[in-house]
Amino acid sequence: MTTISGLIGAPIVFGKWMPKDYIPVIFDQEDFHAKFDKDPGLVVLNDKPWNAEAQAHILDDKVTPASRMFVRNNGLIPQNIDVNEWTLKIDGESAESTKTYSLDDLKKFPKYTYQLTLECGGNGRSEFNPPAKGNQWTIGAVSCASWTGVRLKDILQNVGVKEDAVYVGYYGKDTHLSGDPNKDPISRGIPISKAMMEETLIAYQMNGEDIPLIHGYPLRLVVGGWPASASGKWIHRLSIRNKVHDGAKMEGSSYRVPCESVAPGEKVEDENMCIIESMPVKSLITYPKTGAIVKSPTLDIRGHAWAGEMSVTNAHYSIDFGATWQPCELEKPVNRLAWQHWKGTVSFPKKGYYEVWVRATDSSGQQQPMVIPGWNPKGYLNNACHRIAVKVV
Ligand SMILES: Nc1nc2c(c(=O)[nH]1)N[C@H]1C(S)=C(S)[C@@H](COP(=O)(O)O)O[C@H]1N2
Ligand SMILES: [Mo]
């Protein structure tokens, strides 16, 4: 008891009632923000495993800093990483050979840098009704950082890809929550066509520095525009498969939605669920923060918009609950699969309460819906318009 008090730094006043072998809660709460160097504007949703999302206003930067990037973990973060020992093995039924690369070997291949939008497939899940199980993401499970590394296709070609290749699956070094070393927390992948795209990277840097541990140090896949679950962290093995990869969380309803739309709450058989590929068009208002009090009849607003595998062709705002829409100014993406920045100046007709809504349109003409789109059992792909509250005083 006295040793525990010592560790806590204070006497345990009712310590005589504390059960034997009891672990005081204080030892069970780690300070996420201090531990992972995160902005206080990141909201923790879960601690085992760590999951945290950004509030919209902290995503105002054009390139998301590490401190403001959401965190999604399915298992436990690997410990004691030795980069000198780290290797990436490429194998699989459709690999011409099996090769193992050290980080130095990988760095000898041409190096590329792209800004890539990563959005969790479940971003927006909290709004579905009936509710879907899983992290109750609101709007902040999205980021667009600058990633540097080698093209996945250069490595695949170095190994040799057989004609029957269908998929590339990843394996990370994180551990399953059960602690069972034979179970993977997640092992997803992408079709060979996406793997061969120029922007699909095996990254060893983020924003010009080593990738932070929690985001996949020292090596991660970065697959822009697709559910971020495809972007395997801490990767040590990639498998070139002659069928759709069958790793953990590839099957059943994980990262799948009904192939045909269903009524809310309807039971959907696994065979009627399709794997999510490109993410839908979406946007965020990153300035001002919702709840802003404005003392002038005009207000500058800004944010980002993205459209999965496509680009965004325009963005509009509405201050009358979607009755009328005004165009925003929209920048072109710095590269394919990077989010785009929009801005506008709102004129309020008089003092009072307003909501500002923003709606992006993708290059195929699809617009964000104003209300929650197609219900699905796991609550994926909610791309409804983001709204903020503004009081003009
Ligand atoms: N090895 C590994 N890779 C992973 C995950 C994981 O749990 N383990 N989570 C995936 C999911 S579901 C998402 S949304 C993104 C989150 O990336 P971030 O934490 O860097 O923002 O990583 C993906 N890659
Ligand atoms: Mo995710």
Side-chain angles (χ1 to χ4, degrees), residues 72-269:
R72 166 64 171 128
N73 289 326
N74 290 267
L76 302 172
I77 299 171
Q79 305 293 324
N80 310 320
I81 291 169
D82 181 353
V83 283
N84 299 315
E85 296 289 309
W86 194 278
T87 55
L88 177 68
K89 179 169 137 187
I90 318 282
D91 62 9
E93 308 94 359
S94 297
E96 296 275 9
S97 61
T98 296
K99 282 197 183 173
T100 302
Y101 302 86
S102 68
L103 290 184
D104 284 340
D105 294 337
L106 290 174
K107 287 178 183 170
K108 288 183 194 125
F109 285 83
K111 161 173 159 177
Y112 298 90
T113 298
Y114 299 105
Q115 287 176 27
L116 297 165
T117 310
L118 294 186
E119 182 180 16
C120 179
N123 196 21
R125 173 179 294 135
S126 66
E127 290 183 272
F128 282 104
N129 204 358
K133 280 201 205 112
N135 287 302
Q136 294 300 300
W137 306 108
T138 64
I139 38 156
V142 60
S143 67
C144 184
S146 170
W147 295 93
T148 299
V150 299
R151 283 185 173 148
L152 173 57
K153 77 166 183 182
D154 288 351
I155 304 303
L156 295 180
Q157 279 163 355
N158 188 261
V159 168
V161 178
K162 290 190 187 157
E163 260 183 23
D164 64 353
V166 170
Y167 234 79
V168 176
Y170 69 74
Y171 295 88
K173 278 265 193 220
D174 44 343
T175 41
H176 194 267
L177 289 176
S178 65
D180 183 342
N182 300 316
K183 276 190 184 166
D184 293 314
I186 187 168
S187 168
R188 293 185 45 80
I190 44 174
I192 198 78
S193 55
K194 180 67 176 167
M196 289 298 186
M197 281 191 174
E198 296 192 344
E199 302 84 4
T200 303
L201 295 181
I202 300 175
Y204 46 79
Q205 283 190 325
M206 187 183 105
N207 296 343
E209 291 175 20
D210 282 348
I211 301 171
L213 173 65
I214 203 167
H215 295 294
Y217 178 79
L219 211 56
R220 91 174 284 179
L221 268 184
V222 188
V223 183
W226 282 39
S229 54
S231 295
K233 304 196 273 191
W234 311 290
I235 53 168
H236 65 95
R237 177 182 167 208
L238 295 174
S239 212
I240 312 174
R241 308 298 311 269
N242 63 4
K243 57 178 181 185
V244 173
H245 183 56
D246 51 4
K249 304 211 174 175
M250 279 300 293
E251 320 237 86
S253 54
S254 292
Y255 303 99
R256 290 180 190 234
V257 289
C259 305
E260 306 292 338
S261 62
V262 299
E266 202 172 302
K267 172 135 185 41
V268 191
E269 298 303 330

Side-chain angles (χ1 to χ4, degrees), residues 218-336:
L219 211 56
R220 91 174 284 179
L221 268 184
V222 188
V223 183
W226 282 39
S229 54
S231 295
K233 304 196 273 191
W234 311 290
I235 53 168
H236 65 95
R237 177 182 167 208
L238 295 174
S239 212
I240 312 174
R241 308 298 311 269
N242 63 4
K243 57 178 181 185
V244 173
H245 183 56
D246 51 4
K249 304 211 174 175
M250 279 300 293
E251 320 237 86
S253 54
S254 292
Y255 303 99
R256 290 180 190 234
V257 289
C259 305
E260 306 292 338
S261 62
V262 299
E266 202 172 302
K267 172 135 185 41
V268 191
E269 298 303 330
D270 283 355
E271 70 256 30
N272 296 327
M273 300 282 276
C274 285
I275 299 175
I276 303 168
E277 299 203 326
S278 173
M279 293 293 286
V281 60
K282 199 161 172 181
S283 58
L284 262 187
I285 305 165
T286 60
Y287 184 87
K289 182 180 175 179
T290 187
I293 310 275
V294 180
K295 297 198 173 79
S296 133
T298 62
L299 172 69
D300 289 336
I301 57 170
R302 61 173 182 261
H304 319 291
W306 59 97
E309 200 58 48
M310 284 179 278
S311 61
V312 177
T313 43
N314 56 59
H316 290 84
Y317 71 83
S318 173
I319 57 167
D320 52 15
F321 300 96
T324 62
W325 295 88
Q326 320 305 323
C328 302
E329 264 179 62
L330 179 73
E331 288 179 25
K332 291 210 154 40
V334 290
N335 54 252
R336 224 173 73 74

